[in-house]
Amino acid sequence: MSEPALQSKDGVRDVGVQEAEAPRKEANIPPKEQCVEMYRWMVKIRAFDQRCVRLQRQGRIGTYAPLEGQEAAQVGSAFALAPRDMMFPTYRDHGAMAVHGVPLERILLYWNGRVEGTDYPQDVQVFPPAVPIGTQIPHAVGYAMARQYRGDTGIALGYFGDGATSEGDFHEGLNFAAVFRAPVVLFCQNNQYAISVPFSRQTATQTVAEKAAAYGIEGIRVDGNDLLAVYAATRHAVEKARRGEGPTLIEAYTYRFHSHTTADDHTRYRAAEEVELWKSRDPIRRFRAFLEARRWWDDQSERALADEVEERIEQAVQTMEQWEAVNPADMFNHCFADLPEALREQEEELSEVLRGGDRS
Ligand SMILES: Cc1ncc(C[n+]2csc(CCOP(=O)(O)OP(=O)(O)O)c2C)c(N)n1
């Protein structure tokens, strides 16, 4: 097992990367109502995530990408956005998407393979999740530049993983953002693996944040399992972008508790001790301890929340299952007005299989 992944927080070289911290001053801690609301969201998306894994195992949705362990990174950053700000997520960011207004039903429909799963309410400022790694980075930058050009104060936030930093899109996106001072926040959830590839094989730098220096922008590294630290760092970057002071690269150092997707087996490439260590840094347990110390939360509130969340998720699942069964041939229907020959052949072949014809 690669040791730098576990040590990188302590092993950061002095490359001018700012290490963000949770606000120490009382005045900088969000009000009780917001803290409780952020906690409720973390609990809700974890329960939703666990339910999605079970739904996949039961064959009720398709392959699914779990986010458990990354709740603080997603909720803390999404809370820093205003409703008018546009979010560019990946396939693992449905926690952040839900916070920014995407209904759970739509997220389930997406994982059920339905195109309607990316059809969000008009006022919800979220792009469909990017599955090709890194493509959403130049999208977010270009979108932010367009808003700037139009003179409005909306900004963009693009999510990506540590693996995406090896893509050309990452470098091109950051360079453009920096040169044109685009009002964008580039938010990397460094969960230390790109499927089975550990961070130490992804890059020779110790951190993602230090890469910002090469583009002439600010880089911030934050404990991605610390909700308040993530919120504070992202708010700083969002407000800076809104003031016209350009982009920020944020690296939220975190860990995914489970496999890359339900089609992956993480025990093949991660030691059980490493996973256990990170589970002991559970972002939800950490924030609950903070709330309880202030007497803002107790067992009774936790039980009431669990019931409420269960009911809400059940309702979303039932809505998803009321839709007629997905038609796999839909995948040919939404990109081309006239299907190219090669795709037409594949469509015919698929139709044949669906009609129960020759599968050989
Ligand atoms: C352009 C491209 N290359 C390869 C893949 C296959 N792929 C899917 S997920 C993934 C790993 C991405 O890791 P990371 O960016 O760290 O995000 P994470 O899945 O850890 O959230 C890869 C290589 C892809 N989807 N797109």
Side-chain angles (χ1 to χ4, degrees), residues 133-182:
I133 303 304
T135 50
Q136 75 284 8
I137 300 172
H139 295 167
V141 173
Y143 175 89
M145 287 168 65
R147 298 252 330 226
Q148 182 184 48
Y149 180 73
R150 289 179 177 174
D152 84 41
T153 56
I155 66 125
L157 182 145
Y159 288 108
F160 50 96
D162 39 302
T165 64
S166 293
E167 290 285 347
D169 279 351
F170 168 79
H171 302 282
E172 292 152 19
L174 259 73
N175 196 51
F176 250 89
V179 171
F180 293 96
R181 291 172 76 81

Side-chain angles (χ1 to χ4, degrees), residues 75-82 85 230-231 234-236 238-239 242:
V75 172
S77 53
F79 254 83
L81 295 177
D85 297 331
V230 173
Y231 175 69
T234 318
R235 258 200 85 158
H236 160 78
V238 166
E239 285 170 6
R242 222 185 284 295

Side-chain angles (χ1 to χ4, degrees), residues 22 29 35 42 67 93 116-117 148 205 209 242 246 293 295 322 334 337 360:
I29 291 171
C35 286
M42 290 204 294
L67 58 79
D93 301 320
E116 293 84 354
Q148 182 184 48
T205 60
R242 222 185 284 295
R295 304 193 190 289
Q322 277 159 14
H334 300 283
S360 62

Side-chain angles (χ1 to χ4, degrees), residues 38-318:
M38 291 195 288
Y39 177 75
R40 289 168 57 86
W41 267 110
M42 290 204 294
V43 170
K44 185 170 169 176
I45 64 173
R46 173 164 298 181
F48 179 71
D49 185 69
Q50 292 175 339
R51 183 67 188 272
C52 285
V53 173
R54 292 202 297 277
L55 289 171
Q56 189 281 332
R57 299 293 187 229
Q58 294 161 352
R60 292 157 74 184
I61 61 171
T63 304
Y64 172 75
L67 58 79
E68 193 170 345
Q70 299 182 210
E71 292 89 351
Q74 296 198 12
V75 172
S77 53
F79 254 83
L81 295 177
R84 67 182 184 285
D85 297 331
M86 183 62 90
M87 177 184 286
F88 290 77
T90 76
Y91 48 78
R92 203 183 300 289
D93 301 320
H94 27 286
M97 291 164 64
V99 171
H100 209 45
V102 176
L104 299 183
E105 288 79 1
R106 294 285 144 178
I107 298 170
L108 286 169
L109 286 171
Y110 173 82
W111 290 104
N112 199 22
R114 299 207 68 108
V115 68
E116 293 84 354
T118 58
D119 183 9
Y120 311 141
Q122 276 302 317
D123 58 340
V124 171
Q125 300 290 302
V126 179
F127 253 57
V131 177
I133 303 304
T135 50
Q136 75 284 8
I137 300 172
H139 295 167
V141 173
Y143 175 89
M145 287 168 65
R147 298 252 330 226
Q148 182 184 48
Y149 180 73
R150 289 179 177 174
D152 84 41
T153 56
I155 66 125
L157 182 145
Y159 288 108
F160 50 96
D162 39 302
T165 64
S166 293
E167 290 285 347
D169 279 351
F170 168 79
H171 302 282
E172 292 152 19
L174 259 73
N175 196 51
F176 250 89
V179 171
F180 293 96
R181 291 172 76 81
V184 63
V185 180
L186 300 151
F187 194 96
C188 178
Q189 287 170 79
N190 178 0
N191 64 14
Q192 310 178 45
Y193 289 86
I195 314 185
S196 57
V197 177
F199 189 67
S200 57
R201 301 295 286 170
Q202 197 67 248
T203 175
T205 60
Q206 295 266 325
T207 72
V208 169
E210 70 194 76
K211 293 173 190 289
Y215 304 98
I217 65 172
E218 182 184 12
I220 301 175
R221 188 169 209 251
V222 63
D223 177 348
N225 286 12
D226 182 335
L227 180 75
L228 293 182
V230 173
Y231 175 69
T234 318
R235 258 200 85 158
H236 160 78
V238 166
E239 285 170 6
K240 189 178 95 180
R242 222 185 284 295
R243 288 194 304 269
E245 292 169 22
T248 309
L249 172 63
I250 296 177
E251 171 188 10
Y253 187 61
T254 183
Y255 198 80
R256 74 169 143 76
F257 287 177
H258 292 289
S259 290
H260 171 74
T261 66
T262 49
D264 171 47
D265 174 7
H266 71 104
T267 62
R268 304 272 298 269
Y269 55 87
R270 300 197 307 195
E273 306 78 61
E274 180 185 297
V275 178
E276 284 316 306
L277 174 67
W278 279 91
K279 285 192 173 171
S280 74
R281 299 169 179 167
D282 183 341
I284 298 188
R285 218 172 37 235
R286 274 172 73 175
F287 198 58
R288 181 174 171 178
F290 169 89
L291 293 180
E292 286 181 344
R294 286 168 180 255
R295 304 193 190 289
W296 288 355
W297 196 256
D298 57 21
D299 287 347
Q300 201 186 337
S301 348
E302 187 73 24
R303 276 194 300 275
L305 175 62
D307 290 345
E308 185 189 318
V309 159
E310 178 61 30
E311 198 178 315
R312 173 71 190 95
I313 294 170
E314 185 54 36
Q315 186 188 40
V317 173
Q318 284 183 17

